[in-house]
Structures are given as C-alpha cells and as structure tokens.
C-alpha cells in the first residue's frame, strides 16, 4: 500500500505494504524502534518526543506536529478535546495533509490510528518516511530507493569487504555503516581495525559514532540485526536515509546560515560581545578577590570531622563553584579574541577593555587564585592524612587490645586449674596436647602484644589527645601477659610430672591386665570344669575324667605362683600411689578384673577340687555296678533272642510241612504252643533285669545286640504266629465239615498253595493265585472273558482289594466251588417234612426235631421274623430259608 500515485517511479520498487510481514516479531521490533527513533529525531526540534509509537499518535496531536516539523508547513489547527471524535478529527487532518502531498493512502483510516493498530500505525509512518525522507533523494538520474542504494554503493565502493546490494543482508556485518561514516568523517572511525567476523562491534561502533558526532539517533539494535536472518528492509532504509541527509544537506545549510548571520548580525554581535566582556571580566575579578582569602586560611582543626568538612567545602568549590568560573574565563578569552578578529575583519578599531580588565590582568589574578588553591589543597591533604593516621592508629589500638583482652579472658583461671590431679593418663595426655596448643597460641599472640605496645608508643609520639588512657590500657595488657607466661610454665611442669607417674602406673595396669586376663580365664574355665555335670556311660570314660583331673591338680602350684606375681603388680601400683600421693581416677582401664576377684576365684577353685574328687569316685562306683547289670542282661538276652528266632523258623516250617489229619495237626500245634508258653518265666526274669538297667539309666550295652524291645516283639510275634496257625487249622476243620471236603482235597489244596507261595509268606499274589487256579483245573483264558471271570473270583477271595489271597480265603473259595451244595428243592423238601400240612413251622416243632444247640441257634436266627397270620414264633418257607442260610441264591 506504500504507493503515492501513478506517476511516482520510486514506489514501483516497493511492494505494497505487507501487513503479514509485521506478524514477524523480529521485524516488527526493528521497525518499531527505527520508526520511533526517526520520529523523535524530528519531534525533538519542537521539544517533545514519543515513547510508544502506536499510543502516542492516537490523539493526532504529535502526528500533526511531526508533519509540520518535517514539511516546514503549518497544518490546520488541531482539536484539543479528549473525546474520540476529536482524536479522529486530528488524525484525519494529518492524513489529509499527507494525501495533499501526492501520497495515495490505501486501507489506512483515522479510526485504526486512534484505536492504536500497530500495523496501520507503522504503515503510516513508513509512508511518511518514504515521502519526506526518501522520495527527494536523487543520484545520477535515479531517485528514492534506487537513488539511495546507488548513493550507498558509490560511497562504499573503495572499501574492502563492503558490497551493498540491498537494504537488508548487505548491512548485517556493520561494515557498510562504518564505511559511510569513514567516507565523510574519517577522523571518527579507524576503519582499518574493523573485522568482518565481528558484526556486533562494527554495528555498535557505527551506531554510537553516528549518535554522538553526527546527531543521528540510534534507530537500530545490533543484536536485532545480527540475530535476524534477514533484517527489516524498511528499518535499514530509514536509518540509511538519515546518513544521506546528514552528509549531503548539513554543509549546505550551515554555509547558508553562516552567510546570513554574518551579513545581518555582525555589528549587533560585536557590540554585545563588548558588553558581555566587560560584565564577565568584572564578575570574574570580583569572585577571585573574594575567594583567595578563603583559600589562604591555614587554621588547622582538631577533629577529623572538622577537617573533612573543610575538604568537602573545597571539593564543592572545585566541583561546583570553580568550573563555571573556568568556563567564564575561557569564554571571556574566546569572546575577546573573537571580538578583535571580527572588528579587524570589519575594518573596525580594536576593542580596549576598561582599566584592570585586560586579559592579562585576568590571567594574573587567576594565577594567584590557583597558587592559593594549590597550597590550600596540599595543606588540607596533609592535615587529613595526619588526623587519619591518628584515628587509624587509635582504632587499631582499640581493636587489637579488645581482641587480645577477649582472648585472655578466662585464661588465668584455666591455667590455675588442678584438673590434672584427678585425670587419667589419656586425659593427662589430652590436657598436655591442649596445653601445647595453648602455648603455641600464646606464642602466636606475642606479636599482637608487641604490636599493641608499638602502636601506643607511636600515638604518644604523635601527641594523641587520649594518650593517658591508651598508656594505662597498654600497661595492663603487658602485666597480664607476663603473668600468663609464668602460669603457663608452671602448669606445663605439673602436667609433665603427672604424666610420667601415670605412665608408670599405666604400664603396671597394662601388665596386670595382660597377666590377669588369661589367669582369670584359666580359673573360670577350671571352675566351670570342676562344676561341670559330667555324663558318662562306661568305665573307660570315668577313668579318662579321673586322669584329666589328676593332671589338672598337678598344675595348681604353678598357678598359685602366677597368682602371687599378679597380686605383686597391684601392690606395686598401690605403693606408687601412696608414695607420690597420686590421685587415681577410677580403676584399671585395661581390665575389669581386680585382686579381690582373683583371690575369690582362687579360693573357689581350691574348694571345688576335693568336691570333684568325691564326685569322680562316686561315679566310678556307679559305672562298675552298671557294667555288672549290662553283663547280667546280655547273658540272658543272648540265649533268649536266638531261641525266639529258632522257634519262629520252626513254626513257619510246620505251617508248610504239616502232615496227617487236621485234628492231628491241631493236636501237635497245641502241644508245641504249650512248650513255648512254658518258656515265659525266662522272659519275665529278663524283664526284671531290664527294669534294673532302666532305673540305672543305662542306654547301651556292648555285650549283646538284643534289646528288651527286640525280645518283646519277637516273643509277641512268636505267640501270635502259633495262635494264628492253630486258628487256621481250626477254620480248615470247620470248612471241611461244613462243605464236605475230603482230607485228600485239603492236602491237594495245601500242596498247590504252598507250591505257588514261593516266598513262604502265607499269601499269594494275584498272578500266583491265577497260576494256582489254572493248576487245579480252572479254565481261565487269556481273553476278555477270562479276565472278567478272574476279576469275579478275586472279588470273592480279596473283597478288600489288597491284592493278596490267604490260604483260608483260598480254601473257602475252593470249598464253595467243589463241595456238594444243597439245592433249593432240597430246602423245600426239608421244610415240608417239618411243616406237615401247615405253611409254617412252629418253635416247638423245631425244638423237637433238631438237636438242642442247633434248635437254639435257629430260634435265635428266627427271632426277628414274624410268622404268617400273626402266629407268634412261626416261620414260612422264605423266613426259614433266610434264618438258616442267610441271603443267598436260594
């Protein structure tokens, strides 16, 4: 939007105002600073400036003033009201003025400026800069931006490392700005010392020189330019245009102004210079006349404060009063020379001041003033140095004295302490170390005491006003110092003497501890051994204890000698304490054992020795008796044990090899059982002997491998085995009689069972039992049907599923399978014979027809049943069958 009209060529090089570009914070910051500085460079001519570019132009007043300054024309009278309408009116007047200069404003309205729109405000200022600062630049038939760029290129062409091609990156290293300044004012910048790789220094040098010597305000920051990849073009153009105007227009304006001034004001100025000279000369001479007596006053002051006030007054004179007079004197000489020159150039007679007011008269008076001033200054400094020296020495004396007195506080009481009289050796050594440290500290403080005395002497020589109090304090410190030295030496000797005595005692303590500890341990071990409750089980063990005890008693005389030697060490310590009056604090630090304890334990050992002798004798007698009991028990056990084992073997063979009828076998077994039972008294006698062994707490017996528990278990197994064997024969007899099995069949069954009972355990495993059945003619095939049949048989002979078949279960099964079993028809026939014409059997009929014992058995079985038709004691066929046979296949 930065275009004015269709005819202005310089604007074709500029794009329209790029509002989006202002969104870049770096560029906006550069433009804000540059435009603000550019505006202030003009506004200061009217005695004002702006701080915030978008805020300070909102009311339009400073905007109108800026346009008046840069255009040299008067704008319409501004509105002074504070209302928005007044502000808009003022801004519109400014915008109308800009438009009147041929600038076409696009999208910039007064309302946006009044509202503080930063982008619109910056755009407006850039438009003003282009119109009033850049548009009129013309170099070799180029104008505006191209003309300014060409001017920069021409001026910087001779300079190395400067290549101006644009208004952004060509200026980043700062050499372009420095080259422009050096080209026009070479005395301001040493261009040869500048380096291209130090842009910060180059930029700051150019900005500072331009501001200080060329009256070009600092519009840019070096940091912003260096820290931006592409510096803002508008900011650079604005700043460079200031250089163009400064260098190209300043000389013309100055020449014209001087010419006019010379023509219009030469006579008036000459007359004014004469009057000014006379007045300045009179005032200056009068001031010199009044000041010299004050500077010649050498009356000294007694206090530092008063002298410092004199010095402060003199400094005020040098800083406030004299500089204006120096300026007046210089200005007076300048005015006089200038006046004489102007009069001479104007062909006017030379100026002759009044009598006594010539420049030479003033210089003579000024020389007298400076002479008095120099002497006064030297006198002031000398007096201040003297007073400073005195005050410094006095303060130094007070500080050192206070430090020394604080250090000595409590030291005399510390040195007079008798703490070493009750201290231990370690405490004495600590006290000696502490005292040595104190002696070192004391020696170090010797310099301070000497310094205090030297300062007091110097204060006396300089006639310090408070010397009496200083001398008294110094004397007190010296006297106290001498006293501390004597007490320090006395305490050191006492500590060393006590240390030697305690070291001797400590060595004796240590020797006592080294010998008492093992001796005490020996006594404690001896007492423990002598009181130890021994547990022995053999004669050999008690003999070993007795031998060890005799060896121990043989060491007692030597131990008593060691005890006396240890007690002798303690007696020596007591002698030293009594002789040298040493106050021992506490007991032996190396041990808790004392002589009383040693004696008490020794007495205890001597007391326990005979007690131990008696205990060993008693134990020896007891072990002899125990050995007798062991032999007595072993002699019987060694006979009974093998006898039981033999009988157990015989019973096993009998159960397998028995011959004859079952009744004969039963008779033989009962006779065999009786012979075994007759052996019971010997078992009972062994029990009595075992009871004696237990009461004597005898736990082992090397004379026999049999224990009472072994004998008991063997005896019980023997009785149980023979009883079980007898029971099996009895059951076989019952089975034979009940099932009608012949003796030959039983023998066959026994032979077959024993054949397959290969481990002689009295039982058959499943496979052994199966082989036995097959040997007896059972058809058990190796197929599913055969397996099912064998499973059925096993459920009969082994209902508990133990996997074992006893001989009795085998006999029961075989008897069931082979015996002549009554059929259901035979049962019915028997029932009808007994019942007659009735359908039931009465109790009396049973008693009459059956033997008494069988009748009673049947009646007992029939008791739970009630006969038909409510007849008491009567059974029908089913009840009869159940009573006789139980639940069966019948």
């Amino acid at each position: 939007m930065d275009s004015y009209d269709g005819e202005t060529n310089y604007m074709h090089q500029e794009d329209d105002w790029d509002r989006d570009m202002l969104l870049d914070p770096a560029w906006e910051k550069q433009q804000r600073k540059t435009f603000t500085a550019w505006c202030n460079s003009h506004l200061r001519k009217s005695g004002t400036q702006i701080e915030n570019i978008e805020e300070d132009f909102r009311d339009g007043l400073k905007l109108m003033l800026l346009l008046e300054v840069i255009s040299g024309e008067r704008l319409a009278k501004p509105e002074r009201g504070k209302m928005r309408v007044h502000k808009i009116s003022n801004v519109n007047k400014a915008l109308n003025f800009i438009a009147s200069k041929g600038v076409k404003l696009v999208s910039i309205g007064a309302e946006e400026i009044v509202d503080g729109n930063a982008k619109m405000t910056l755009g407006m200022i850039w438009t003003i800069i282009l119109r009033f600062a850049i548009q009129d630049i013309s170099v070799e038939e180029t104008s505006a931006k191209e003309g300014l760029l060409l001017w920069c290129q021409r001026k910087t062409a001779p300079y190395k490392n400067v290549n101006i091609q644009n208004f952004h990156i060509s200026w980043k290293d700062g050499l372009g700005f420095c080259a422009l300044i050096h080209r026009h004012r070479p005395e301001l910048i040493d261009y040869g010392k500048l380096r291209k790789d130090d842009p910060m220094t180059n930029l700051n040098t150019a900005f500072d020189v331009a501001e200080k010597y060329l009256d070009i305000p600092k519009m840019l920051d070096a940091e912003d330019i260096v820290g931006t990849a592409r510096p803002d073009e508008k900011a650079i153009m604005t700043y460079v245009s200031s250089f163009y105007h400064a260098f190209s227009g300043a000389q013309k304006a100055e020449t014209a102004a001087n010419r006019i001034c010379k023509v219009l004001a030469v006579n008036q100025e000459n007359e004014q210079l004469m009057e000014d000279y006379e007045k300045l000369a009179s005032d200056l001479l009068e001031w010199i006349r009044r000041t010299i007596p004050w500077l010649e006053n050498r009356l000294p002051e007694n206090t530092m404060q008063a002298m410092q006030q004199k010095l402060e007054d003199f400094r005020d004179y040098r800083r406030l009063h004299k500089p204006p007079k120096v300026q007046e004197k210089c200005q007076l000489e300048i005015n006089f020379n200038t006046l004489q020159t102007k009069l001479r150039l104007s062909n006017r007679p030379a100026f002759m001041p009044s009598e006594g007011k010539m420049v030479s008269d003033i210089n003579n008076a000024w020389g007298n003033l400076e002479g008095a001033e120099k002497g006064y200054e030297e006198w002031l400094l000398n007096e201040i140095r003297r007073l400073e020296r005195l005050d410094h020495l006095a303060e130094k004396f007070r500080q050192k004295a206070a430090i020394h007195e604080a250090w000595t506080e409590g030291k005399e009481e510390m040195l007079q302490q008798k703490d070493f009289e009750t201290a231990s050796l370690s405490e004495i050594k600590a006290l000696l170390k502490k005292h040595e440290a104190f002696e070192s500290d004391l020696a170090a403080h010797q310099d301070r005491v000497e310094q205090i005395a030297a300062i007091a002497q110097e204060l006396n020589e300089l006639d310090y006003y408070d010397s009496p109090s200083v001398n008294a304090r110094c004397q007190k410190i010296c006297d106290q110092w001498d006293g501390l030295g004597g007490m320090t030496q006395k305490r050191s000797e006492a500590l060393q003497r006590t240390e030697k005595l305690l070291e001797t005692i400590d060595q004796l303590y240590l020797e006592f501890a080294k010998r008492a500890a093992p001796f005490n341990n020996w006594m404690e071990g001896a007492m423990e051994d002598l009181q130890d409750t021994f547990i022995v089980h053999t004669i050999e063990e008690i003999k070993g204890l007795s031998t060890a005890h005799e060896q121990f008693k043989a060491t007692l005389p030597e131990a008593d000698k060691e005890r006396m030697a240890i007690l002798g060490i303690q007696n020596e310590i007591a002698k030293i304490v009594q002789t040298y009056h040493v106050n021992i604090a506490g007991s032996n630090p190396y041990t808790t054992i004392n002589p009383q304890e040693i004696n008490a334990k020794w007495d205890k050992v001597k007391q326990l020795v005979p007690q131990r002798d008696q205990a060993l004798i008693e134990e020896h007698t007891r072990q002899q008796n125990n050995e007798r009991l062991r032999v007595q028990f072993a002699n019987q056990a060694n006979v009974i044990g093998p006898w039981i084992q033999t009988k157990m073997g015989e019973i096993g063979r009998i159960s397998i090899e028995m011959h004859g009828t079952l009744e004969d076998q039963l008779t033989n077994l009962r006779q065999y059982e009786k012979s075994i039972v007759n052996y019971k008294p010997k078992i009972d006698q062994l029990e009595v002997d075992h009871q004696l062994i237990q009461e004597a707490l005898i736990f082992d017996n090397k004379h026999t491998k049999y224990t009472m528990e072994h004998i008991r278990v063997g005896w019980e197994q023997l009785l149980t085995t023979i009883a079980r064997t007898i029971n099996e024969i009895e059951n076989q007899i019952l089975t034979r009689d009940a099932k009608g099995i012949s003796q030959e069949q039983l023998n066959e069954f026994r032979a077959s069972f024993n054949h397959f009972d290969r481990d002689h355990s009295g039982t058959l495993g499943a496979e052994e039992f199966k082989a036995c059945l097959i040997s007896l003619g059972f058809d058990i095939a190796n197929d599913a049907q055969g397996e099912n049949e064998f499973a059925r048989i096993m459920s009969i002979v082994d209902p508990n599923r133990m996997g074992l078949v006893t001989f009795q279960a085998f006999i029961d099964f075989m008897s069931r399978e082979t015996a002549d079993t009554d059929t259901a028809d035979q049962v019915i026939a028997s029932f009808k014979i007994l019942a007659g014409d009735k359908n039931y059997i009465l109790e009396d009929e049973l008693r009459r027809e059956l033997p008494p014992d069988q009748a009673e058995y049947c009646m007992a079985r029939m008791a739970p049943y009630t006969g038909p038709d409510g007849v008491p004691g009567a059974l029908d066929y089913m009840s009869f069958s159940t009573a006789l046979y139980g639940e069966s296949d019948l």
Side-chain angles (χ1 to χ4, degrees):
M1 72 166 240
D2 296 336
S3 59
Y4 303 147
D5 54 24
E7 291 83 24
T8 54
N9 295 330
Y10 73 94
M11 293 307 299
H12 293 304
Q13 301 168 10
E14 292 292 322
D15 297 332
D16 289 344
W17 176 254
D18 189 354
R19 291 173 177 79
D20 293 335
M21 190 66 72
L22 284 174
L23 295 177
D24 186 331
W27 285 20
E28 181 178 347
K29 178 182 177 183
Q30 293 179 23
Q31 289 187 6
R32 187 186 300 274
K33 178 176 179 63
T34 303
F35 292 177
T36 300
W38 184 86
C39 292
N40 285 334
S41 69
H42 294 286
L43 287 174
R44 67 183 179 182
K45 298 175 183 177
S46 297
T48 185
Q49 65 178 9
I50 62 173
E51 299 294 337
N52 190 312
I53 196 166
E54 64 265 30
E55 291 294 331
D56 294 346
F57 285 146
R58 289 179 63 182
D59 59 3
L61 296 176
K62 290 187 178 181
L63 179 60
M64 295 178 68
L65 180 60
L66 175 65
L67 292 171
E68 288 182 349
V69 172
I70 61 178
S71 68
E73 302 179 18
R74 297 288 297 179
L75 274 70
K77 185 177 181 181
E79 300 287 344
R80 295 295 178 180
K82 301 296 183 180
M83 297 177 65
R84 179 178 175 83
V85 64
H86 298 138
K87 297 178 181 179
I88 292 175
S89 175
N90 291 337
V91 174
N92 275 326
K93 290 177 182 179
L95 295 179
N96 292 334
F97 177 79
I98 295 172
S100 69
K101 297 302 179 180
V103 178
K104 184 178 181 181
L105 299 173
V106 179
S107 301
I108 298 180
E111 292 80 0
E112 294 173 316
I113 305 302
V114 172
D115 291 339
N117 188 309
K119 292 190 292 184
M120 295 299 104
T121 303
L122 291 174
M124 178 190 69
I125 298 302
W126 174 241
T127 301
I128 294 173
I129 293 171
L130 284 175
R131 173 61 183 83
F132 293 99
I134 299 176
Q135 177 182 354
D136 295 335
I137 296 175
S138 177
V139 177
E140 298 182 7
E141 298 182 356
T142 60
S143 60
K145 178 180 178 181
E146 287 78 6
L148 181 61
L149 182 62
L150 182 60
W151 178 78
C152 294
Q153 292 171 342
R154 293 287 186 269
K155 295 296 182 180
T156 61
Y159 291 90
K160 182 178 65 174
N161 294 329
V162 178
N163 183 17
I164 304 300
Q165 298 297 327
N166 48 56
F167 287 106
H168 37 82
I169 60 175
S170 295
W171 303 85
K172 281 194 68 173
D173 58 11
L175 293 177
F177 295 110
C178 294
L180 286 177
I181 296 172
H182 186 267
R183 182 66 181 270
H184 296 89
R185 297 286 299 275
E187 76 279 4
L188 298 180
I189 292 180
D190 187 353
Y191 190 83
K193 293 183 179 180
L194 300 178
R195 294 185 295 112
K196 186 176 180 64
D197 59 355
D198 190 8
M200 291 294 295
T201 301
N202 301 338
L203 290 167
N204 285 322
T205 299
F207 296 164
D208 293 342
V209 169
E211 184 176 29
K212 184 175 181 180
Y213 297 105
L214 303 179
D215 199 27
I216 297 175
K218 190 175 182 180
M219 300 181 185
L220 300 171
D221 282 332
E223 293 81 0
D224 294 339
I225 296 176
V226 174
T228 305
R230 185 177 184 273
D232 182 60
E233 186 179 52
K234 299 177 179 60
I236 299 294
M237 285 180 62
T238 302
Y239 189 50
V240 173
S241 67
S242 298
F243 282 91
Y244 174 83
H245 291 294
F247 291 135
S248 64
Q251 186 174 358
K252 296 178 182 179
E254 184 179 357
T255 301
N258 289 338
R259 188 181 298 114
I260 294 172
C261 289
K262 287 180 181 180
V263 173
L264 297 177
V266 61
N267 291 333
Q268 183 179 359
E269 185 179 357
N270 290 339
E271 292 174 0
Q272 186 63 43
L273 287 175
M274 293 177 187
E275 294 176 5
D276 293 343
Y277 179 85
E278 289 288 336
K279 186 176 185 307
L280 283 174
S282 299
D283 294 342
L284 185 59
L285 288 171
E286 177 61 22
W287 178 81
I288 292 172
R289 184 187 63 80
R290 293 196 312 268
T291 303
I292 287 177
W294 175 68
L295 294 173
E296 290 177 345
N297 181 13
R298 298 293 190 272
L299 182 65
E301 299 291 344
N302 293 327
T303 64
M304 185 66 181
Q305 183 178 3
M307 289 306 299
Q308 286 179 339
Q309 184 59 48
K310 280 182 173 287
L311 179 61
E312 188 63 29
D313 294 341
F314 181 70
R315 287 173 177 170
D316 289 342
Y317 157 77
R318 295 287 298 270
R319 183 176 62 253
L320 302 176
H321 303 298
K322 184 180 179 182
K325 299 304 178 182
V326 173
Q327 185 65 32
E328 289 179 10
K329 176 179 175 297
C330 180
Q331 189 63 44
L332 191 67
E333 293 176 356
I334 292 172
N335 290 349
F336 181 80
N337 294 332
T338 302
L339 179 59
Q340 297 293 25
T341 301
K342 289 182 177 181
L343 291 174
R344 185 172 60 254
L345 293 174
S346 301
N347 295 322
R348 297 284 299 277
F351 171 66
M352 291 298 295
S354 302
E355 185 177 357
K357 297 181 181 179
M358 294 293 291
V359 172
S360 58
D361 296 331
I362 294 172
N363 286 335
N364 291 334
W366 190 264
N368 294 333
L369 175 70
E370 288 189 337
E373 177 183 326
K374 182 178 181 181
Y376 188 70
E377 182 179 18
E378 291 176 355
W379 174 76
L380 277 177
L381 293 176
N382 290 333
E383 282 296 309
I384 288 175
R385 290 191 189 100
R386 185 181 70 85
L387 291 176
E388 280 181 345
R389 177 63 177 167
L390 284 174
D391 286 349
H392 173 71
L393 287 173
E395 180 61 26
K396 188 175 181 180
F397 175 84
R398 286 190 292 271
Q399 288 180 356
K400 288 184 175 295
I403 293 172
H404 178 78
E405 289 166 351
W407 180 82
T408 57
E409 184 177 358
K411 295 295 187 296
E412 293 179 353
E413 292 78 2
M414 183 269 290
L415 292 172
Q416 292 173 354
Q417 287 180 349
K418 301 296 183 181
D419 49 354
F420 55 85
E421 293 181 350
T422 59
S424 63
L425 178 59
S426 60
E427 292 172 340
I428 285 293
K429 290 184 179 295
L431 288 175
L432 271 170
K433 294 292 183 182
K434 182 178 180 182
H435 189 70
E436 290 172 1
F438 173 76
E439 288 177 330
S440 299
D441 196 13
L442 186 71
H445 279 73
Q446 177 68 36
D447 291 341
R448 179 178 285 119
V449 175
E450 294 175 356
Q451 291 173 5
I452 291 172
I455 294 171
Q457 180 64 28
E458 188 173 358
L459 287 172
N460 285 321
E461 293 173 356
L462 294 175
D463 295 328
Y464 182 58
Y465 72 94
D466 198 18
S467 292
S469 64
V470 170
N471 293 334
R473 192 172 183 181
C474 180
Q475 187 61 42
K476 181 180 178 180
I477 289 173
C478 292
D479 294 341
Q480 186 185 33
W481 183 256
D482 294 338
L484 287 176
M487 287 186 286
T488 299
Q489 180 62 30
K490 184 178 180 181
R491 180 174 174 82
S492 178
E493 294 172 355
L495 287 172
Q496 292 174 2
R497 182 174 61 255
T498 304
E499 181 189 25
K500 291 179 180 178
L501 289 174
L502 289 180
E503 281 180 345
T504 302
I505 294 174
D506 187 71
Q507 289 297 326
L508 293 173
Y509 270 148
L510 182 59
E511 184 178 358
F512 178 89
K514 287 181 178 179
R515 298 179 68 173
F519 185 72
N520 182 70
N521 290 337
W522 176 85
M523 288 193 297
E524 288 180 347
M527 288 190 294
E528 183 178 353
D529 292 340
L530 291 171
Q531 298 178 91
D532 186 23
T533 303
F534 51 81
I535 299 176
V536 295
H537 302 289
T538 64
I539 289 291
E540 290 76 10
E541 291 178 355
I542 193 62
K543 288 181 178 179
L545 288 177
S546 298
T547 301
H549 182 63
E550 292 301 323
Q551 292 174 352
F552 166 74
K553 289 193 295 183
T555 64
L556 291 178
E558 192 67 28
D560 192 31
K561 291 180 181 179
E562 178 65 14
R563 179 180 67 88
M564 295 305 296
I566 294 172
L567 295 178
I569 296 172
Q570 185 64 34
N571 293 335
E572 188 175 354
I573 294 173
K575 182 178 180 181
I576 293 174
V577 170
Q578 184 177 5
T579 303
Y580 296 99
H581 305 288
V582 178
N583 189 357
I584 300 177
S587 58
N588 192 327
Y590 300 107
T591 181
T592 58
I593 304 170
N594 54 59
Q596 295 78 15
E597 183 178 355
I598 291 175
N599 286 329
K601 290 181 179 179
W602 178 254
D603 293 339
K604 182 67 174 177
V605 169
K606 291 193 297 183
Q607 179 184 353
L608 291 173
V609 169
Q611 296 177 5
R612 185 70 168 186
D613 289 337
Q614 183 62 31
L616 289 172
I617 292 172
E618 293 175 356
E619 182 61 26
H620 189 271
T621 302
R622 191 176 73 84
Q623 288 301 326
Q624 286 178 334
N625 184 56
N626 288 349
E627 185 65 16
R628 181 184 59 78
L629 292 175
R630 287 191 186 94
V631 172
Q632 180 179 328
F633 177 85
N635 290 337
Q636 297 182 68
N638 289 337
V639 173
I640 294 173
W643 181 85
I644 291 176
Q645 292 176 350
T646 301
K647 294 302 178 181
M648 286 293 294
E650 291 177 356
I651 293 173
R653 289 192 300 274
I654 289 172
S655 63
I656 296 174
E657 300 173 357
M658 287 189 298
H659 301 286
T661 65
L662 293 176
E663 286 76 4
D664 293 339
Q665 295 177 16
L666 182 60
T667 300
N668 293 332
L669 285 173
R670 284 176 176 169
Q671 291 175 354
Y672 191 80
E673 180 184 23
K674 184 177 180 180
S675 68
I676 291 175
V677 172
N678 292 335
Y679 204 78
K680 183 66 166 56
K682 294 184 179 181
I683 302 297
D684 295 338
Q685 181 60 45
L686 191 63
E687 286 282 3
V688 173
D689 294 342
H690 177 66
Q691 181 66 28
L692 294 176
I693 286 178
Q694 285 189 323
E695 291 174 356
L697 300 177
I698 299 172
F699 302 105
D700 58 351
N701 191 339
K702 66 180 180 179
H703 304 293
T704 181
K705 66 178 181 179
Y706 299 104
T707 65
M708 194 64 227
E709 184 64 24
H710 292 154
I711 300 297
R712 289 195 195 103
V713 172
W715 176 254
E716 291 171 356
Q717 287 179 349
L718 180 61
L719 295 178
T720 302
T721 301
I722 192 168
R724 184 171 59 248
T725 304
I726 292 172
N727 180 256
E728 288 179 356
I729 299 300
E730 292 175 342
N731 288 336
Q732 291 175 20
I733 292 172
L734 290 175
T735 301
R736 181 198 65 187
D737 295 343
K739 303 299 182 176
I741 301 174
S742 66
Q743 184 64 42
E744 289 75 10
Q745 288 177 313
L746 285 174
N747 291 338
E748 183 183 2
F749 294 157
R750 166 60 70 179
S752 181
F753 187 90
N754 290 341
H755 175 75
F756 288 99
D757 182 15
R758 304 187 188 281
D759 57 357
H760 306 292
S761 63
T763 59
L764 296 178
E767 293 300 322
E768 292 175 336
F769 178 61
K770 185 176 181 181
C772 183
L773 292 177
I774 294 172
S775 70
L776 291 173
F778 283 80
D779 185 12
I780 302 176
N782 290 325
D783 53 13
Q785 183 177 358
E787 291 297 327
N788 292 334
E789 176 62 16
F790 182 70
R792 181 188 70 81
I793 296 173
M794 284 299 294
S795 66
I796 296 173
V797 298
D798 185 22
N800 294 326
R801 300 180 183 275
M802 300 296 293
L804 297 174
V805 180
T806 64
F807 182 70
Q808 185 61 45
F810 174 68
I811 291 297
D812 292 341
F813 171 73
M814 294 304 295
S815 64
R816 179 176 181 179
E817 293 295 326
T818 60
D820 294 329
T821 305
D822 291 339
T823 62
D825 294 338
Q826 292 173 332
V827 174
I828 294 173
S830 299
F831 177 81
K832 289 182 177 181
I833 292 171
L834 293 176
D837 296 335
K838 304 185 297 300
N839 292 327
Y840 53 85
I841 300 173
L842 296 176
E843 179 180 340
D844 293 340
E845 294 173 339
L846 282 175
R847 293 183 183 276
R848 183 175 65 247
E849 298 294 337
L850 296 178
D853 55 345
Q854 295 180 356
E856 291 297 329
Y857 175 77
C858 285
M859 294 305 297
R861 296 290 300 272
M862 292 163 59
Y865 302 98
T866 302
D869 302 328
V871 179
L875 290 176
D876 58 11
Y877 166 72
M878 291 304 298
S879 297
F880 173 77
S881 175
T882 302
L884 290 180
Y885 299 103
E887 299 295 334
S888 67
D889 297 337
L890 297 177

